Amino acid sequence: MEPSTNVLDLNLLRRSCSSCALNELCLPAGIGGDDLTRLDGTVKDKRTLERGGVLYRDGDPFKALYVVRSGSLKTFVQNEAGDTQILGFHLPGEIIGFDALASNRHASQAEALERSSICELPYAQLQQVTSEVPALHRQLMRVISREVVEEHRHLVMMGRQQAQEQLAIFLKSLADRYERLQRDGAALTLTMSRYDIANYLGLVVETVSRLFSRMEEMGVLEVNRKAVRILRPDLLADLCRNGHPTGSRRNDAG
Amino acid sequence: MEPSTNVLDLNLLRRSCSSCALNELCLPAGIGGDDLTRLDGTVKDKRTLERGGVLYRDGDPFKALYVVRSGSLKTFVQNEAGDTQILGFHLPGEIIGFDALASNRHASQAEALERSSICELPYAQLQQVTSEVPALHRQLMRVISREVVEEHRHLVMMGRQQAQEQLAIFLKSLADRYERLQRDGAALTLTMSRYDIANYLGLVVETVSRLFSRMEEMGVLEVNRKAVRILRPDLLADLCRNGHPTGSRRNDAG
DNA sequence: CGCGACCTTGAAATGAATCAAGTCCCGTGG
DNA sequence: CCACGGGACTTGATTCATTTCAAGGTCGCG
């Protein structure tokens, strides 16, 4: 995140949905001006979280859906024993909190990875508006569906046998998301820790660390702590398919 | 699946949503009699698929959501190279096809694991009804949300370091789902192949096969081809937490 | 009755986890 | 402003679970 972004945020915070830079990515996509104004009225408040700040916890009553406006968050579940599984990393324009719709309680925790600002969409009001604006209803469904598709990508990534493939796919998909945000997809800022990345992929830290080193040696990346530059997108794309050049056995379900 | 079930299916097929044995699990849960009749009118047809039959393919235009009425299906994605990742196995009462809402095209393939019957909910009509019946709208959202939560379970399972833990969790969750269907949760019928299970968990067949053998040796299971009996649910629950008795290092994200 | 898909089992190879140091960086407090 | 401390990260050596390779067995079906 460039320092300039933080400065701009102050202005962004004062804007409404209709003028939000994210409105193509966020809920309102494809909704007309009049309806947009009504949606804007339901956005309760636009709060900020510091790094490590918790947006909601597992078990919290469901009050709202949340749109990441700037910064980034992680969502994760934890079992009784404290074992954690990270479910996702969330960039601006992404909506989180859907898991609470099922039971009216959140089934995961959301935590800021850096100073982030969030739009809160109180569900009661959202429901009111969606019932009045059918287009918004359809749009909301579409957004949840996107969430489902996104999780499929996570599953595909985790299903890979080679750790290097997994990390390559992770970086590639992060780059893709950057570009959708009009950011430079080659210059990634990994706001999450190496532990987070490892957990997200089902690996241990040491493996992730070694893979970054290896990919740097191969000339694919330039790694500088949290700053990762993709030097050879073509090679990275290759790694997404093959852990190493030689064709490898796949586990194609019968 | 006991043979008796197949006989009963013929009767089930003639029934409507309001009298369906699954209506507690399926979409209509919590909807009143009058509204139920209207929903029933939108169920276009109740088709059957043979083993291996395809309900929808990746890229197919989105026409409907589908409720599994009897039997079982798998959903999966395939990349250009033919690598497969199984996303889920679906039992009666479960609704599939949500991934198509985002782009109006299916983003996965659904295939029957045995002779199965399916309720088709054409989306155009469903939209009509949900706009008239707010309760159904809320219910539909709740069902999609359940799908999201379900996928989180899949991710948690895949994130485990020990293959034995993964398989144990898989069997445990299958047993739980059986019980929700009023079936004997100790007597599982694995309609999917060992290849499918392996792929679902991100393992290779041989590993899964060995794990079944090992769990049988341990006295946890009785394995007889597709029929698996859980002899010691307590031990199975232990295995869900620990690959082996000794406490093991976890990867708890920082 | 034999073929083929599915499954199991064994032996060997290997990639990731584990164990163990050591370094770097950043925030804190002197 | 610098020293200190602790968490995050990296790297090396070793262990070990799972994959890979190979072969044989079983079952259902033509």
Side-chain angles (χ1 to χ4, degrees), chain A residues 135-151:
Chain A
L136 190 59
H137 170 204
R138 243 169 291 136
Q139 183 61 15
L140 186 58
M141 299 283 269
R142 223 173 275 143
V143 171
I144 309 189
S145 174
R146 218 155 54 192
E147 171 79 11
V148 172
V149 174
E150 185 53 45
E151 294 193 338

Side-chain angles (χ1 to χ4, degrees), chain A:
Chain A
M1 201 106 321
E2 310 77 18
S4 62
T5 307
N6 286 325
V7 175
L8 281 174
D9 280 354
L10 292 172
N11 294 322
L12 284 171
L13 279 171
R14 291 193 198 93
R15 293 197 197 167
S16 61
C17 288
S18 47
S19 65
C20 174
L22 298 172
N23 86 59
E24 279 305 310
L25 300 156
C26 165
L27 196 56
I31 293 178
D34 206 46
D35 293 338
L36 208 50
T37 312
R38 299 178 76 171
L39 173 64
D40 193 46
T42 79
V43 175
K44 189 172 147 203
D45 81 306
K46 296 157 183 177
R47 59 203 256 203
T48 16
L49 287 173
E50 295 303 314
R51 180 170 194 281
V54 172
L55 187 57
Y56 55 79
R57 298 196 134 77
D58 191 334
D60 278 359
F62 174 45
K63 291 192 307 235
L65 297 174
Y66 305 92
V67 184
V68 183
R69 196 172 171 83
S70 71
S72 51
L73 289 86
K74 64 175 172 183
T75 48
F76 58 94
V77 289
Q78 248 173 334
N79 69 8
E80 331 74 51
D83 301 338
T84 298
Q85 177 62 52
I86 294 188
L87 304 169
F89 302 113
H90 309 279
L91 299 184
E94 296 175 9
I95 309 190
I96 58 179
F98 292 121
D99 58 357
L101 277 159
S103 60
N104 280 319
R105 298 212 163 261
H106 285 282
S108 59
Q109 178 159 334
E111 204 178 301
L113 293 167
E114 61 187 315
R115 173 185 272 264
S116 304
S117 78
I118 310 289
C119 284
E120 197 174 321
L121 308 172
Y123 191 56
Q125 284 166 259
L126 193 62
Q127 235 171 7
Q128 177 65 21
V129 182
T130 54
S131 71
E132 290 167 14
V133 185
L136 190 59
H137 170 204
R138 243 169 291 136
Q139 183 61 15
L140 186 58
M141 299 283 269
R142 223 173 275 143
V143 171
I144 309 189
S145 174
R146 218 155 54 192
E147 171 79 11
V148 172
V149 174
E150 185 53 45
E151 294 193 338
H152 290 175
R153 251 192 287 275
H154 190 177
L155 287 169
V156 167
M157 194 159 35
M158 279 192 124
R160 309 272 71 180
Q161 314 270 22
Q162 300 292 323
Q164 188 172 251
E165 257 178 81
Q166 296 184 58
L167 187 60
I169 295 172
F170 169 67
L171 293 172
K172 178 82 164 56
S173 80
L174 208 59
D176 290 347
R177 285 156 75 196
Y178 265 49
E179 287 181 352
R180 249 181 285 148
L181 289 173
Q182 321 279 15
R183 294 190 200 167
D184 179 1
L188 306 179
T189 305
L190 304 179
T191 57
M192 68 297 289
S193 71
R194 299 284 195 266
Y195 286 86
D196 284 341
I197 297 172
N199 182 291
Y200 180 70
L201 297 174
L203 305 168
V204 295
V205 211
E206 295 95 322
T207 304
V208 169
S209 185
R210 275 185 252 271
L211 287 172
F212 273 119
S213 304
R214 196 199 298 177
M215 284 173 148
E216 192 164 27
E217 276 166 32
M218 292 190 294
V220 179
L221 306 176
E222 180 182 277
V223 182
N224 211 311
R225 222 166 156 65
K226 303 223 160 275
V228 170
R229 173 160 288 277
I230 300 172
L231 301 175
R232 294 285 306 271
D234 55 329
L235 286 181
L236 185 66
D238 285 349
L239 294 182
C240 290
R241 282 181 276 286
N242 300 307
H244 34 223
T246 62
S248 63
R249 177 193 186 188
R250 285 278 156 264
N251 183 9
D252 300 333

